[in-house]
Amino acid sequence: MVYFRRFIFLMRSENLLCTRNCLLNLYQNSSRSALRQLKDTVLPPKPKRPEGPFFLYVKHIKLKFLEETPDISQVQLLKRASRQWAELDLAEKEYFMNQYHKNREIYMNELKEYNNSITNEQRELWEKKKKEYLQNNSSLSNKRKYEMLGRPKKSLNPFLCYVTSKKNDKNPNTSFKEWVKLLSTSWKELSGAEKESYINKATQLSIQYQKDLEKWEVEMIHSGHPDVVRPKILRKYKNIEDKNEK
């Protein structure tokens, strides 16, 4: 009965978008999980990333919250912890920041040892298995394939270069959304001359991105993934091959 009611809810016209998103997330998560399971059969388990300062704080106060409100849900707990975290002064946050940096240093050492322990045979086998998986799951979205195959990420635009340059000036008590709004306002107030350095930076990043992208696409052609390569690069590569044959 519960599943029937859920089905009726999802089939209502106003909930179709919700249905689509739920199914899409389910599909993407299942494909990601399947690939991860496949990787575990080829490579040893990778060290886990350390938890950030906020989640270390959540662990620290979780027991207290549960004692005060035994029935508190995970969502409510995180909301409450988030409010308290925002009210903490820098001195109180520093303890968790230091703990995070210590854990991260340990993680980086473990990751280095892990990468050094992987043999070339294991890497080649994983690439082969991954290629077979992608070929057998041609219905995967291009976006998902890009992630799996390591496509270079798009470069930052001038505004995002500006945002990045200001990240160390962010007030810890200001939410990320509010902070970006403030930066958006200040960006609009900058003169053309003041924006020039960020525009130049974005241009340089864009040029490098195009180079990295083309290099990656050539690798994809050689490794049997022409479906993720832009048509103009395929034509360019084909013309080069034709000239070499002549």
Side-chain angles (χ1 to χ4, degrees), residues 123-183:
R123 295 182 195 279
E124 290 171 4
L125 179 59
W126 165 235
E127 289 301 322
K128 180 183 176 182
K129 293 282 187 182
K130 183 166 66 172
K131 180 180 176 180
E132 290 173 355
Y133 175 83
L134 293 173
Q135 288 175 341
N136 295 332
N137 292 270
S138 57
S139 59
L140 285 173
S141 67
N142 275 348
K143 184 178 179 181
R144 186 73 193 107
K145 281 190 177 181
Y146 293 157
E147 291 176 4
M148 292 177 179
L149 294 170
R151 188 180 197 258
K153 293 185 178 180
K154 287 186 177 181
S155 57
L156 302 178
N157 60 32
F159 172 66
L160 290 179
C161 287
Y162 173 68
V163 171
T164 303
S165 71
K166 300 294 181 182
K167 64 181 181 180
N168 292 331
D169 300 333
K170 181 181 178 296
N171 187 330
N173 296 323
T174 304
S175 69
F176 181 79
K177 186 176 180 180
E178 188 62 32
W179 178 63
V180 172
K181 280 185 179 180
L182 293 171
L183 287 179

Coordinates of all heavy atoms in Angstrom, one line a residue, residues 123-183:
R123 N 47.1 -1.2 -13.1 CA 46.5 0.0 -13.8 C 46.0 -0.4 -15.1 O 44.9 0.1 -15.5 CB 47.6 1.1 -13.9 CG 48.1 1.6 -12.5 CD 49.1 2.7 -12.7 NE 49.9 3.0 -11.5 CZ 49.4 3.8 -10.6 NH1 48.2 4.4 -10.7 NH2 50.1 4.0 -9.5
E124 N 46.8 -1.2 -15.9 CA 46.3 -1.6 -17.2 C 45.1 -2.4 -17.2 O 44.2 -2.2 -18.0 CB 47.5 -2.3 -17.9 CG 48.7 -1.4 -18.3 CD 49.9 -2.2 -18.8 OE1 49.7 -3.5 -18.9 OE2 50.9 -1.6 -19.0
L125 N 45.0 -3.3 -16.2 CA 43.8 -4.1 -16.1 C 42.6 -3.3 -15.7 O 41.5 -3.5 -16.3 CB 44.1 -5.2 -15.0 CG 42.9 -6.2 -14.7 CD1 42.5 -6.9 -16.0 CD2 43.3 -7.1 -13.6
W126 N 42.8 -2.3 -14.8 CA 41.7 -1.5 -14.5 C 41.2 -0.6 -15.7 O 40.0 -0.5 -15.9 CB 42.1 -0.5 -13.3 CG 41.1 0.6 -13.1 CD1 41.4 1.9 -13.1 CD2 39.7 0.5 -12.9 NE1 40.3 2.7 -12.9 CE2 39.2 1.8 -12.8 CE3 38.8 -0.5 -12.8 CZ2 37.9 2.1 -12.6 CZ3 37.4 -0.2 -12.6 CH2 37.0 1.1 -12.5
E127 N 42.1 -0.1 -16.5 CA 41.7 0.7 -17.6 C 41.0 -0.2 -18.6 O 40.0 0.2 -19.3 CB 43.0 1.2 -18.3 CG 43.6 2.4 -17.5 CD 42.7 3.6 -17.3 OE1 41.9 3.9 -18.2 OE2 42.7 4.2 -16.2
K128 N 41.4 -1.5 -18.7 CA 40.7 -2.4 -19.6 C 39.3 -2.7 -19.2 O 38.4 -2.7 -19.9 CB 41.6 -3.7 -19.7 CG 41.0 -4.8 -20.6 CD 41.8 -6.0 -20.6 CE 41.1 -7.1 -21.4 NZ 41.9 -8.4 -21.4
K129 N 39.2 -3.0 -17.8 CA 37.9 -3.3 -17.3 C 36.9 -2.1 -17.4 O 35.8 -2.2 -17.7 CB 38.0 -3.7 -15.8 CG 38.8 -5.0 -15.6 CD 37.9 -6.2 -15.8 CE 38.5 -7.5 -15.4 NZ 37.7 -8.6 -15.7
K130 N 37.5 -0.9 -17.1 CA 36.7 0.3 -17.2 C 36.2 0.5 -18.6 O 35.0 0.9 -18.9 CB 37.5 1.5 -16.7 CG 36.7 2.8 -16.7 CD 37.4 3.9 -15.9 CE 38.7 4.3 -16.5 NZ 39.3 5.5 -15.9
K131 N 37.1 0.3 -19.6 CA 36.7 0.5 -21.0 C 35.6 -0.5 -21.4 O 34.6 -0.1 -22.1 CB 38.0 0.2 -21.9 CG 37.7 0.4 -23.4 CD 39.0 0.2 -24.2 CE 38.7 0.2 -25.7 NZ 39.9 0.0 -26.5
E132 N 35.7 -1.7 -20.9 CA 34.7 -2.8 -21.2 C 33.4 -2.4 -20.6 O 32.3 -2.5 -21.2 CB 35.2 -4.1 -20.7 CG 36.3 -4.7 -21.5 CD 36.9 -6.0 -20.8 OE1 36.4 -6.3 -19.7 OE2 37.8 -6.6 -21.4
Y133 N 33.5 -1.9 -19.4 CA 32.2 -1.5 -18.7 C 31.5 -0.3 -19.4 O 30.3 -0.4 -19.6 CB 32.6 -1.0 -17.3 CG 31.4 -0.5 -16.5 CD1 30.5 -1.3 -15.9 CD2 31.1 0.9 -16.5 CE1 29.4 -0.8 -15.2 CE2 30.0 1.4 -15.8 CZ 29.2 0.6 -15.2 OH 28.1 1.1 -14.5
L134 N 32.3 0.6 -19.9 CA 31.7 1.8 -20.6 C 31.1 1.4 -21.9 O 30.1 1.8 -22.4 CB 32.7 2.9 -20.8 CG 33.2 3.6 -19.5 CD1 34.3 4.5 -19.8 CD2 32.0 4.3 -18.8
Q135 N 31.8 0.4 -22.6 CA 31.3 0.0 -23.9 C 30.0 -0.9 -23.7 O 29.1 -0.8 -24.6 CB 32.4 -0.9 -24.6 CG 33.5 -0.1 -25.1 CD 34.6 -0.9 -25.7 OE1 34.7 -2.1 -25.4 NE2 35.5 -0.3 -26.5
N136 N 29.9 -1.6 -22.6 CA 28.7 -2.4 -22.4 C 27.6 -1.6 -21.8 O 26.5 -2.1 -21.7 CB 29.1 -3.6 -21.5 CG 30.1 -4.5 -22.1 OD1 30.1 -4.7 -23.3 ND2 30.9 -5.2 -21.3
N137 N 27.9 -0.4 -21.4 CA 26.8 0.5 -20.8 C 26.8 1.8 -21.6 O 27.0 2.9 -21.1 CB 27.1 0.8 -19.3 CG 27.0 -0.4 -18.5 OD1 25.9 -0.7 -17.9 ND2 28.1 -1.2 -18.3
S138 N 26.5 1.6 -22.9 CA 26.5 2.7 -23.8 C 25.4 3.8 -23.5 O 25.4 4.9 -24.0 CB 26.3 2.3 -25.3 OG 25.1 1.5 -25.4
S139 N 24.4 3.4 -22.6 CA 23.3 4.3 -22.3 C 23.7 5.3 -21.3 O 23.0 6.2 -20.9 CB 22.1 3.5 -21.8 OG 22.5 2.7 -20.6
L140 N 24.9 5.2 -20.7 CA 25.4 6.2 -19.7 C 25.5 7.6 -20.4 O 25.8 7.7 -21.5 CB 26.8 5.8 -19.3 CG 27.0 4.7 -18.3 CD1 28.4 4.4 -18.0 CD2 26.3 5.0 -16.9
S141 N 25.1 8.6 -19.6 CA 25.1 9.9 -20.2 C 26.6 10.4 -20.4 O 27.5 9.9 -19.8 CB 24.5 10.9 -19.2 OG 25.3 11.0 -18.0
N142 N 26.7 11.3 -21.4 CA 28.1 11.8 -21.7 C 28.7 12.4 -20.4 O 29.9 12.3 -20.2 CB 28.0 12.8 -22.8 CG 28.0 12.1 -24.1 OD1 28.3 11.0 -24.2 ND2 27.7 12.9 -25.2
K143 N 27.9 13.1 -19.6 CA 28.4 13.7 -18.4 C 29.0 12.7 -17.5 O 30.1 12.9 -16.9 CB 27.3 14.5 -17.7 CG 27.8 15.3 -16.5 CD 26.7 16.0 -15.8 CE 27.2 16.8 -14.6 NZ 26.1 17.6 -13.9
R144 N 28.4 11.6 -17.3 CA 28.9 10.5 -16.5 C 30.1 9.9 -17.0 O 31.1 9.6 -16.3 CB 27.8 9.5 -16.3 CG 28.2 8.4 -15.3 CD 28.1 8.9 -13.9 NE 28.7 8.0 -12.9 CZ 29.9 8.2 -12.4 NH1 30.6 9.3 -12.6 NH2 30.4 7.4 -11.5
K145 N 30.1 9.7 -18.4 CA 31.3 9.2 -19.0 C 32.5 10.1 -18.9 O 33.6 9.7 -18.7 CB 31.0 8.9 -20.5 CG 30.3 7.7 -20.8 CD 30.2 7.4 -22.3 CE 29.5 6.1 -22.6 NZ 29.5 5.8 -24.0
Y146 N 32.2 11.4 -19.0 CA 33.3 12.4 -18.8 C 34.0 12.3 -17.5 O 35.2 12.3 -17.3 CB 32.8 13.8 -19.0 CG 32.3 14.2 -20.4 CD1 31.4 15.2 -20.6 CD2 32.8 13.5 -21.5 CE1 30.9 15.5 -21.9 CE2 32.3 13.8 -22.8 CZ 31.4 14.8 -23.0 OH 31.0 15.2 -24.2
E147 N 33.1 12.1 -16.4 CA 33.6 12.0 -15.1 C 34.5 10.7 -15.0 O 35.6 10.7 -14.4 CB 32.5 11.9 -14.1 CG 31.7 13.2 -13.9 CD 30.5 13.1 -13.0 OE1 30.3 12.0 -12.4 OE2 29.7 14.0 -12.9
M148 N 34.0 9.6 -15.5 CA 34.7 8.3 -15.4 C 36.0 8.3 -16.1 O 37.0 7.7 -15.7 CB 33.8 7.2 -15.9 CG 32.6 6.9 -15.1 SD 31.6 5.6 -15.9 CE 30.3 5.5 -14.7
L149 N 36.0 9.0 -17.3 CA 37.2 9.0 -18.1 C 38.2 10.2 -17.9 O 39.2 10.3 -18.5 CB 36.8 9.1 -19.6 CG 36.0 7.8 -20.1 CD1 35.4 8.1 -21.5 CD2 36.9 6.6 -20.1
G150 N 37.8 11.0 -16.9 CA 38.8 12.0 -16.5 C 38.9 13.2 -17.4 O 39.9 13.8 -17.6
R151 N 37.7 13.6 -18.0 CA 37.8 14.8 -18.9 C 38.1 16.0 -18.1 O 37.6 16.3 -17.0 CB 36.4 15.0 -19.5 CG 36.3 16.0 -20.6 CD 34.9 16.1 -21.1 NE 34.7 16.8 -22.4 CZ 34.3 18.0 -22.5 NH1 34.0 18.8 -21.5 NH2 34.2 18.6 -23.7
P152 N 39.0 16.9 -18.6 CA 39.4 18.1 -17.9 C 38.2 19.0 -17.6 O 37.3 19.1 -18.5 CB 40.4 18.8 -18.9 CG 40.9 17.7 -19.8 CD 39.8 16.7 -19.9
K153 N 38.2 19.6 -16.5 CA 37.1 20.4 -16.1 C 37.2 21.8 -16.8 O 38.3 22.3 -17.0 CB 37.0 20.6 -14.6 CG 36.7 19.3 -13.9 CD 36.5 19.5 -12.4 CE 36.1 18.2 -11.7 NZ 35.9 18.4 -10.2
K154 N 36.1 22.4 -17.0 CA 36.1 23.7 -17.7 C 36.8 24.7 -16.8 O 36.7 24.7 -15.6 CB 34.6 24.2 -18.0 CG 34.0 23.4 -19.1 CD 32.6 24.0 -19.4 CE 32.0 23.2 -20.6 NZ 30.7 23.8 -21.0
S155 N 37.4 25.7 -17.5 CA 38.1 26.7 -16.8 C 37.2 27.7 -16.2 O 36.0 27.8 -16.5 CB 39.1 27.4 -17.7 OG 38.4 28.0 -18.8
L156 N 37.7 28.5 -15.2 CA 36.9 29.5 -14.5 C 36.7 30.7 -15.4 O 37.6 31.1 -16.2 CB 37.6 29.9 -13.2 CG 37.9 28.8 -12.2 CD1 38.7 29.4 -11.0 CD2 36.6 28.1 -11.7
N157 N 35.6 31.3 -15.3 CA 35.3 32.6 -16.0 C 35.9 33.7 -15.1 O 36.3 33.5 -14.0 CB 33.8 32.8 -16.3 CG 33.0 32.8 -15.0 OD1 33.4 33.2 -14.0 ND2 31.8 32.3 -15.1
P158 N 35.9 35.0 -15.6 CA 36.5 36.1 -14.8 C 35.9 36.2 -13.5 O 36.6 36.5 -12.5 CB 36.2 37.3 -15.7 CG 36.2 36.7 -17.1 CD 35.6 35.4 -17.0
F159 N 34.6 36.1 -13.4 CA 33.9 36.3 -12.1 C 34.4 35.3 -11.1 O 34.7 35.5 -9.9 CB 32.4 36.3 -12.2 CG 31.7 36.3 -10.9 CD1 31.8 37.4 -10.0 CD2 31.0 35.2 -10.5 CE1 31.1 37.4 -8.8 CE2 30.3 35.2 -9.2 CZ 30.4 36.3 -8.4
L160 N 34.5 34.0 -11.5 CA 34.9 32.9 -10.6 C 36.3 33.1 -10.2 O 36.7 32.7 -9.1 CB 34.6 31.6 -11.2 CG 33.1 31.2 -11.4 CD1 33.0 29.8 -12.0 CD2 32.4 31.2 -10.0
C161 N 37.1 33.6 -11.1 CA 38.5 33.9 -10.8 C 38.6 34.9 -9.6 O 39.4 34.9 -8.7 CB 39.3 34.4 -12.0 SG 39.7 33.2 -13.2
Y162 N 37.7 35.9 -9.7 CA 37.5 36.9 -8.7 C 37.1 36.3 -7.4 O 37.7 36.6 -6.3 CB 36.5 38.0 -9.2 CG 36.2 39.0 -8.1 CD1 37.1 40.0 -7.7 CD2 34.9 39.1 -7.6 CE1 36.8 41.0 -6.8 CE2 34.6 40.1 -6.7 CZ 35.5 41.0 -6.3 OH 35.2 42.0 -5.3
V163 N 36.1 35.4 -7.4 CA 35.6 34.7 -6.2 C 36.7 33.9 -5.6 O 36.9 34.0 -4.4 CB 34.4 33.8 -6.6 CG1 34.1 32.9 -5.4 CG2 33.2 34.6 -7.0
T164 N 37.5 33.2 -6.4 CA 38.6 32.4 -5.9 C 39.6 33.2 -5.2 O 40.2 32.8 -4.1 CB 39.3 31.6 -7.0 OG1 38.3 30.8 -7.7 CG2 40.3 30.7 -6.5
S165 N 39.9 34.4 -5.7 CA 40.9 35.3 -5.1 C 40.5 35.8 -3.8 O 41.3 36.3 -3.0 CB 41.2 36.5 -6.1 OG 40.1 37.4 -6.1
K166 N 39.2 35.8 -3.5 CA 38.6 36.4 -2.3 C 38.3 35.3 -1.2 O 37.8 35.7 -0.1 CB 37.4 37.2 -2.6 CG 37.6 38.3 -3.5 CD 38.5 39.4 -3.0 CE 38.6 40.6 -3.9 NZ 39.5 41.6 -3.4
K167 N 38.6 34.1 -1.5 CA 38.1 33.0 -0.6 C 38.7 33.1 0.8 O 38.1 32.7 1.8 CB 38.4 31.6 -1.2 CG 39.9 31.3 -1.4 CD 40.0 29.9 -2.0 CE 41.5 29.5 -2.2 NZ 41.6 28.2 -2.8
N168 N 40.0 33.6 0.9 CA 40.6 33.7 2.2 C 40.0 34.9 3.0 O 40.3 35.0 4.2 CB 42.1 33.9 2.1 CG 42.8 32.7 1.5 OD1 42.3 31.6 1.7 ND2 43.9 32.9 0.8
D169 N 39.3 35.8 2.4 CA 38.7 36.9 3.1 C 37.3 36.6 3.6 O 36.6 37.5 4.2 CB 38.6 38.1 2.1 CG 40.0 38.5 1.6 OD1 41.0 38.3 2.4 OD2 40.1 39.1 0.5
K170 N 36.8 35.4 3.3 CA 35.4 35.1 3.7 C 35.2 35.1 5.2 O 36.0 34.5 5.9 CB 35.0 33.8 3.1 CG 33.5 33.4 3.4 CD 33.2 32.0 2.8 CE 31.8 31.6 3.2 NZ 31.6 31.4 4.6
N171 N 34.1 35.8 5.6 CA 33.8 35.8 7.0 C 33.2 34.4 7.4 O 32.2 34.0 6.7 CB 32.7 36.9 7.3 CG 32.4 37.0 8.8 OD1 32.5 36.1 9.6 ND2 32.1 38.2 9.2
P172 N 33.7 33.7 8.4 CA 33.2 32.3 8.7 C 31.7 32.3 9.1 O 31.0 31.3 9.0 CB 34.1 31.9 9.9 CG 35.2 32.8 9.9 CD 34.8 34.1 9.2
N173 N 31.2 33.5 9.6 CA 29.8 33.5 10.0 C 28.9 33.9 8.8 O 27.7 34.0 9.0 CB 29.7 34.6 11.1 CG 30.4 34.2 12.3 OD1 30.5 33.0 12.7 ND2 31.0 35.2 13.0
T174 N 29.4 34.1 7.6 CA 28.6 34.4 6.5 C 28.4 33.1 5.7 O 29.3 32.4 5.4 CB 29.3 35.5 5.6 OG1 29.5 36.6 6.4 CG2 28.4 35.8 4.4
S175 N 27.1 32.8 5.3 CA 26.9 31.6 4.5 C 27.5 31.8 3.1 O 27.7 32.9 2.7 CB 25.4 31.4 4.4 OG 24.8 32.4 3.6
F176 N 27.7 30.7 2.5 CA 28.4 30.7 1.2 C 27.5 31.4 0.2 O 28.0 32.2 -0.6 CB 28.6 29.3 0.7 CG 29.3 29.2 -0.7 CD1 30.6 29.4 -0.8 CD2 28.5 28.9 -1.8 CE1 31.3 29.3 -2.0 CE2 29.1 28.9 -3.0 CZ 30.5 29.1 -3.2
K177 N 26.2 31.2 0.3 CA 25.3 31.8 -0.7 C 25.3 33.3 -0.5 O 25.3 34.1 -1.5 CB 23.8 31.3 -0.4 CG 22.8 31.8 -1.4 CD 21.5 31.1 -1.1 CE 20.4 31.6 -2.1 NZ 19.1 31.0 -1.9
E178 N 25.3 33.8 0.7 CA 25.3 35.2 1.0 C 26.6 35.8 0.6 O 26.7 37.0 0.0 CB 25.0 35.5 2.5 CG 24.8 36.9 2.9 CD 23.6 37.6 2.2 OE1 22.6 36.9 2.0 OE2 23.7 38.8 1.9
W179 N 27.7 35.1 0.8 CA 29.0 35.6 0.4 C 29.1 35.8 -1.1 O 29.7 36.8 -1.5 CB 30.0 34.5 0.9 CG 31.5 34.9 0.6 CD1 32.2 35.9 1.0 CD2 32.3 34.1 -0.2 NE1 33.5 35.9 0.5 CE2 33.6 34.8 -0.3 CE3 32.2 32.9 -0.9 CZ2 34.7 34.3 -1.0 CZ3 33.3 32.4 -1.7 CH2 34.5 33.1 -1.7
V180 N 28.6 34.8 -1.8 CA 28.7 34.9 -3.3 C 27.8 36.1 -3.8 O 28.2 36.8 -4.7 CB 28.2 33.6 -4.0 CG1 28.1 33.8 -5.5 CG2 29.2 32.5 -3.7
K181 N 26.7 36.4 -3.1 CA 25.9 37.5 -3.5 C 26.6 38.8 -3.2 O 26.6 39.7 -4.1 CB 24.6 37.5 -2.6 CG 23.5 36.6 -3.1 CD 22.2 36.8 -2.2 CE 21.1 35.8 -2.7 NZ 19.9 36.0 -1.9
L182 N 27.3 38.9 -2.1 CA 28.1 40.1 -1.8 C 29.2 40.3 -2.9 O 29.5 41.4 -3.3 CB 28.7 40.0 -0.4 CG 27.7 40.0 0.8 CD1 28.5 39.7 2.1 CD2 27.1 41.4 0.9
L183 N 29.9 39.2 -3.2 CA 30.9 39.3 -4.2 C 30.4 39.7 -5.6 O 31.0 40.4 -6.4 CB 31.7 38.0 -4.3 CG 32.6 37.6 -3.2 CD1 33.2 36.3 -3.4 CD2 33.7 38.7 -3.0

